[in-house]
Amino acid sequence: MELRSVPEADNTARIYQILDAQRQQLFDGLETVPSATYSFALYDEGQWQGGAVASLYGNTLHLASLGVVSQRRRAGLGRQLMAELEKIAARERCRYITVCTQAHQALGFYQRCGFEIFGELVDCPFVGTTKYYLKKERD
């Protein structure tokens, strides 16, 4: 056996092939699972002001990252990005939207957007902060 460092894209593709085959065996009749990546941003006079990246897998849209330039925070841009995320979730008939955040980042923002905490890790990824796992369940 030999352990090698390999290109991420090739490695990921091979791992997903294995996981897809396993899913097909376990969930008979579920041949394909909706999956996609969404990336969108807000611009003001040609200048990037904020953006979001989310991944769809099955019935869940996971918000991987969301950020707004510091000068434009609390100006509603985060809410605009979240509104687009909600549109995607509705169009894709998602049951859940999920996100992870740190205590020092946007926990309150996500809670104001209707997310609820379903898990947390204390002192992760650094001592003195907590990582929160949040979900928003849709009808």
Side-chain angles (χ1 to χ4, degrees), residues 91-109:
R91 183 177 68 235
E92 298 292 346
R93 296 184 182 99
C94 292
R95 180 172 179 187
Y96 298 102
I97 302 173
T98 61
V99 66
C100 299
T101 193
Q102 299 296 140
H104 62 276
Q105 291 176 326
L107 178 60
F109 169 75

Side-chain angles (χ1 to χ4, degrees), residues 3-129:
L3 183 64
R4 297 182 191 173
S5 180
V6 296
E8 181 272 335
D10 181 52
N11 206 27
T12 298
R14 289 172 186 240
I15 293 168
Y16 282 175
Q17 285 175 343
I18 292 168
L19 296 176
D20 283 343
Q22 181 186 36
R23 176 190 39 77
Q24 287 175 9
Q25 285 178 329
L26 293 172
F27 300 99
D28 189 33
L30 190 60
E31 294 299 318
T32 60
V33 174
S35 64
T37 300
Y38 299 92
S39 178
F40 46 92
L42 292 168
Y43 286 81
D44 187 17
E45 296 182 10
Q47 299 296 311
W48 188 92
Q49 300 298 307
V53 176
S55 298
L56 170 70
Y57 187 75
N59 68 357
T60 303
L61 186 62
H62 178 72
L63 177 58
S65 57
L66 183 145
V68 173
V69 296
S70 60
Q71 307 90 311
R72 299 297 298 271
R73 290 191 189 132
R74 302 202 186 280
L77 278 68
R79 289 264 183 192
Q80 285 181 268
L81 294 166
M82 290 302 297
E84 182 64 21
L85 191 74
E86 291 278 356
K87 287 179 194 174
I88 293 167
R91 183 177 68 235
E92 298 292 346
R93 296 184 182 99
C94 292
R95 180 172 179 187
Y96 298 102
I97 302 173
T98 61
V99 66
C100 299
T101 193
Q102 299 296 140
H104 62 276
Q105 291 176 326
L107 178 60
F109 169 75
Y110 292 121
Q111 290 175 313
R112 288 189 298 278
C113 289
F115 286 79
E116 57 187 55
I117 298 168
F118 70 88
E120 62 184 66
L121 292 173
V122 177
D123 290 334
C124 177
F126 311 108
V127 172
T129 188

